């Protein structure tokens, strides 16, 4: 939507020149035709003062990044315990939108969505030796019968056992691209940065099963391309870097890093070629690009995605087989692919926001539009009803914005105070009924928060402008 307001400046003086838009015959909404979404009813415990936010986290040293501070201030999250947060309504709306974008990208390449239990039997993890290898990061528990479980940080064991239980798989059915978006758990030694590094988080994890190493590498490239498409749609400039396989294993791995100063990862890129790598994969003394020998540039980043080519590491343990073209049983070639869902939300806020105001990727904003009527008792008070009618007209005539428009009905506050709140919360578009709403025809102030552009439009101009807002 960047620059979209510029295209509509002519509407401020020439609304009759709207091209391709036929205005509706608007009528007043009956009170029973559906309730308006109003800000006064939102469950959103704001803590707009710095001292209030500090008291929430307990120690000033805990507030070490912008996204954590802002999300606490405006009521997006609330601390539950160390490394765990309540996700409040605005955050849940944004996360649901992110999951829809992820679903679109994963299903476009053949992904099928599943949902596996968070509670994972210890015997699965012992079979791969990861029960011991994961150490203290694995959250473990024992039921009343003395059986050991863990709360899964990832699901390689569970998905491979599931596929292995299907005894009649054919090569004609492959590849399988199975994924889920669920809560994950990790006993972090030092949770920090809010949703960027917690003990409980949401992750998209995909597991793929192919009939040959060549096919598995093609699937690997396909998923990486889908990740690139996802981040491009969100307006996030991620860098794909070679990475260490760590405790998950396999023979090839890449991270998708979002460059930011508070990032805990360090990676290098070569300005002369396409080489990029996490510093963990290089010798400590290496200063030149191994591909072209050019100088390497070091950057900090937040890991928002990770991909692994596993080969038969897990399928060989659980005997996940298929019948090949020759009628013989063969082990499936596997890959696994993660996206940190709650981490992407927090990282996007970290990168896009100002020090005082949240800015969202356009597709993920909890609400696309906020309407601000005049203050009750002001000279413009008569425009309060006009703003309500505008709300009804938008939701009737612009179907994609139903459920995306919020009316700030706190008319005991000035327009200025409510505009400050709207700026902090980062609605992409704010429509204000100020002094010019009393003109004939009435003109509304339309603010594009991501670009800073402002324009005055008639009601028809507002409708035409908002009809082009993209939602997911």
């Amino acid at each position: 939507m960047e620059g979209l307001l510029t295209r509509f400046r002519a509407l401020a003086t020439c609304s009759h020149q709207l091209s391709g838009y036929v205005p509706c015959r608007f009528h007043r909404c009956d009170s029973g035709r559906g309730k308006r979404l109003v800000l006064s009813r939102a469950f959103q415990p704001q803590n707009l003062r710095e001292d209030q936010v500090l008291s929430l986290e307990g120690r000033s040293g805990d507030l070490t990044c912008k996204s954590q501070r802002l999300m606490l201030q405006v009521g997006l999250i609330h601390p539950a315990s160390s490394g765990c947060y309540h996700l409040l309504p605005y955050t849940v709306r944004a996360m649901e939108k992110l999951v829809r974008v992820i679903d679109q990208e994963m299903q476009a390449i053949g992904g099928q969505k599943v949902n596996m239990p968070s509670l994972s039997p210890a015997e699965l993890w012992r079979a791969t030796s990861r029960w011991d290898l994961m150490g203290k990061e694995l959250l473990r528990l024992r039921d009343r019968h003395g059986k050991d479980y863990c709360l899964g940080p990832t699901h390689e064991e569970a998905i491979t056992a599931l596929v292995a239980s299907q005894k009649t798989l054919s090569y004609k059915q492959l590849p399988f691209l199975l994924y889920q978006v669920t809560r994950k758990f990790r006993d972090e030694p030092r949770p920090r940065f809010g949703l960027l590094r917690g003990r409980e988080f949401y992750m998209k994890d995909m597991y793929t099963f192919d009939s040959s190493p060549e096919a598995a590498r093609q699937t690997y490239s396909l998923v990486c391309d889908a990740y690139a498409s996802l981040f491009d749609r969100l307006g996030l400039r991620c860098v794909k870097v070679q990475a260490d396989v760590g405790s998950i294993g396999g023979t090839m791995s890449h991270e998708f890093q979002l460059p930011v100063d508070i990032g805990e990862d360090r990676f290098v890129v070569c300005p002369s070629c396409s080489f990029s790598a996490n510093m963990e994969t290089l010798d400590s003394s290496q200063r030149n690009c191994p591909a072209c020998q050019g100088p390497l540039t070091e950057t900090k980043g937040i890991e928002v995605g990770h991909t692994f080519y596993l080969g038969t590491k897990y399928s060989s343990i659980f005997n996940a087989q298929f019948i090949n073209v020759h009628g013989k049983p063969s082990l499936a070639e596997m890959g696994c692919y993660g996206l940190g869902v709650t981490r992407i939300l927090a990282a996007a806020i970290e990168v896009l926001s100002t020090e005082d105001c949240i800015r969202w990727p356009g597709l993920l904003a909890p609400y696309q539009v906020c309407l601000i009527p005049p203050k009750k008792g002001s000279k413009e008070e008569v425009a309060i009803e006009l703003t309500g009618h505008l709300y009804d007209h938008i939701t009737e005539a612009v179907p994609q914005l139903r459920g995306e428009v919020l009316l700030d009905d706190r008319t005991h506050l000035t327009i200025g105070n409510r505009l400050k709140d709207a700026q902090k919360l980062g609605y992409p578009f704010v429509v204000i009924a100020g002094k010019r709403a009393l003109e004939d025809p009435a003109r509304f102030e339309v603010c594009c928060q991501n670009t800073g552009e402002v324009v005055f439009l008639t009601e028809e101009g507002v409708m035409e402008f908002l009809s082009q807002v993209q939602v997911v």
Side-chain angles (χ1 to χ4, degrees), residues 116-292:
M116 292 177 279
S118 295
L119 206 58
S120 187
E123 57 261 28
L124 293 180
W125 291 75
R126 289 189 175 116
T128 60
S129 300
R130 292 211 297 170
W131 184 259
D132 296 320
L133 184 62
M134 291 289 291
K136 292 182 178 181
E137 286 193 0
L138 203 60
L139 275 166
R140 307 158 199 259
L141 61 156
R142 180 171 293 171
D143 70 9
R144 68 181 67 191
H145 306 293
K147 187 172 182 178
D148 291 326
Y149 294 87
C150 69
L151 292 174
T154 182
H155 278 72
E156 285 80 12
E157 285 84 355
I159 193 68
T160 313
L162 173 63
V163 172
S165 70
Q166 312 305 305
K167 300 298 185 182
T168 58
L169 292 180
S170 166
Y171 73 95
K172 295 179 181 179
Q173 296 173 263
L174 303 182
F176 283 142
L177 289 78
L178 306 175
Y179 78 99
Q180 62 177 352
V181 180
T182 57
R183 290 179 185 266
K184 299 293 190 293
F185 303 86
R186 183 179 293 121
D187 195 356
E188 286 284 349
R190 188 183 170 217
R192 59 197 304 233
F193 298 144
L195 297 187
L196 290 177
R197 182 167 291 282
R199 306 178 79 195
E200 183 177 352
F201 50 94
Y202 278 89
M203 188 172 82
K204 187 284 302 178
D205 44 324
M206 172 178 272
Y207 306 92
T208 62
F209 298 81
D210 275 278
S211 59
S212 68
E214 295 76 21
R217 289 189 177 90
Q218 290 177 1
T219 298
Y220 188 94
S221 296
L222 194 66
V223 179
C224 287
D225 289 345
Y227 277 21
S229 174
L230 168 74
F231 292 122
D232 183 62
R233 290 177 65 186
L234 299 180
L236 301 176
R237 188 182 65 84
C238 288
V239 182
K240 177 185 172 185
V241 305
Q242 74 177 30
D244 190 273
V245 297
S247 63
I248 289 179
T251 58
M252 179 171 61
S253 176
H254 290 87
E255 295 168 346
F256 287 78
Q257 293 279 352
L258 187 60
V260 61
D261 288 340
I262 66 153
E264 296 184 283
D265 291 320
R266 293 162 57 229
F267 66 95
V268 293
V269 295
C270 177
S272 303
C273 70
S274 59
F275 178 81
S276 56
N278 190 304
M279 291 287 288
E280 295 175 347
T281 67
L282 303 177
D283 295 333
S284 58
S285 61
Q286 189 166 347
R287 293 292 179 265
N288 292 327
C289 174
C292 72

Side-chain angles (χ1 to χ4, degrees), residues 329-349:
S330 294
L331 291 173
E333 293 280 335
M334 290 179 59
C336 67
Y337 311 85
L339 285 173
V341 177
T342 39
R343 181 178 285 190
I344 289 172
L345 280 182
I349 289 173

